[in-house]
Amino acid sequence: MRHAFWLLPLGLAVVAVATCVPPGAVRAPPADNFYCHVCHLNYKSEKLAVRHAEAGIRCTKCHGDSRDHSGDEDNVTPPDIMYSRDTIADACMECHPGNGLAQKEIHQEGKQAGKVCTDCHGSHRLAHRTRRWDKATGDLIESDGAPVPTVGGTRRGVKPQKGAATCERSPSLPF
């Protein structure tokens, strides 16, 4: 029993090294992204999302509150913030600006090959999409063919697919 006391500091040091937290540093509690995981359960185990959640960074840090998106059961409202392929690296560098990341040889080679951060550090993509938006404008550009509810032909700037059915209320219905 008296030998266990000298093992405690060693054990704490091993845990700190294993979790990339310097000894004595205060670690943020893991982020609770349950609000997003209701629909995007795949991100509960996706490498990039897990790594950020472990560091206390919520989905909203990068994607905004996206309340309209999360409250839209028809899934035609895009998240507040989306990233096109050509904006991914700049977005990542807002929080990971230095430490020579951009100058590391492997990153230089990747950049020359046209790679972005998520090509190597977690794909952060849905395997199956029912809707796809233009990441710059938020316009709906692809749908699975399910009816897209509209009001006056558009919904929050979302343009229905050509030939897609709409769910506009009939003036003859009492509700």
Side-chain angles (χ1 to χ4, degrees), residues 27-155:
R27 184 179 180 95
D32 185 355
N33 291 312
F34 76 92
Y35 194 69
C36 301
H37 292 159
V38 168
C39 297
H40 301 286
L41 189 59
N42 61 302
Y43 291 121
K44 195 169 185 172
S45 60
E46 191 263 334
K47 180 181 174 182
L48 185 72
V50 168
R51 192 74 183 253
H52 283 88
E54 287 173 347
I57 300 166
R58 298 188 67 215
C59 303
T60 56
K61 173 74 175 170
C62 298
H63 297 287
D65 283 337
S66 299
R67 291 191 189 279
D68 289 341
H69 169 72
S70 62
D72 180 5
E73 292 184 13
D74 298 316
N75 193 25
V76 295
T77 306
D80 291 348
I81 303 168
M82 298 180 289
Y83 301 95
S84 60
R85 186 169 175 80
D86 62 333
T87 63
I88 291 172
D90 288 340
C92 293
M93 286 297 137
E94 286 183 28
C95 294
H96 304 281
N99 304 337
L101 285 179
Q103 281 64 46
K104 287 187 178 181
E105 186 175 341
I106 193 164
H107 291 137
Q108 290 296 319
E109 291 170 4
K111 187 175 181 180
Q112 289 173 357
K115 291 187 174 188
V116 297
C117 307
T118 52
D119 289 337
C120 299
H121 302 285
S123 64
H124 209 61
R125 289 285 199 223
L126 292 172
H128 173 73
R129 292 178 178 267
T130 58
R131 308 278 194 259
R132 188 177 308 271
W133 298 281
D134 180 293
K135 291 183 174 43
T137 66
D139 288 346
L140 183 66
I141 56 175
E142 186 177 320
S143 174
D144 61 356
V148 177
T150 62
V151 176
T154 64
R155 178 169 177 181

